Amino acid sequence: MNELHANARDQFFAAMRSLAASADSIQTRLIEANTHLLLVTIDEFTGDLELKIKFAKLLDLLAVDQNDMETTALETVAHMTDFEAVKVADLICDFYSDLG
């Protein structure tokens, strides 16, 4: 089993389950997914510049303010349109795929 990025893979898989396994609005599902994504740190991608940049971009979409990322992510997602939320959900799935 490849242990590289194991925590990130686990957290992104849990985030995808949150996105897929609920009848709630896409914004509510993204809020739940955030609880998993925010357990991943950018340092987990040291040595892989491409993943590091993609993860940083994803975090920027979820939480522009880096001081209190959890609160900011909740507020940001709650005010996303369905189109914006679906776009972010797609990026989460794509990133999980990139983790291999």
Side-chain angles (χ1 to χ4, degrees):
M1 173 71 123
N2 184 0
E3 294 300 319
L4 186 64
H5 313 303
N7 177 58
R9 243 190 333 276
D10 291 346
Q11 298 307 326
F12 269 82
F13 183 74
M16 289 188 349
R17 286 183 61 134
S18 297
L19 291 169
S22 173
D24 292 333
S25 72
I26 187 68
Q27 291 84 357
T28 301
R29 289 181 278 161
L30 270 179
I31 288 169
E32 178 63 28
N34 276 332
T35 63
H36 301 288
L37 298 179
L38 295 177
L39 296 175
V40 179
T41 66
I42 194 107
D43 294 337
E44 292 184 51
F45 306 110
T46 300
D48 191 331
L49 186 59
E50 183 179 350
L51 283 179
K52 197 172 200 174
I53 291 170
K54 285 182 178 182
F55 185 66
K57 286 181 180 179
L58 183 57
L59 287 181
D60 282 345
L61 289 172
L62 294 171
V64 178
D65 178 6
Q66 302 296 316
N67 292 327
D68 186 359
M69 287 183 63
E70 185 172 356
T71 300
T72 304
L74 294 175
E75 292 170 358
T76 300
V77 171
H79 293 94
M80 283 183 177
T81 65
D82 288 351
F83 180 78
E84 292 168 326
V86 167
K87 193 173 177 180
V88 172
D90 283 343
L91 289 173
I92 291 169
C93 294
D94 289 346
F95 192 86
Y96 178 76
S97 177
D98 290 345
L99 287 172

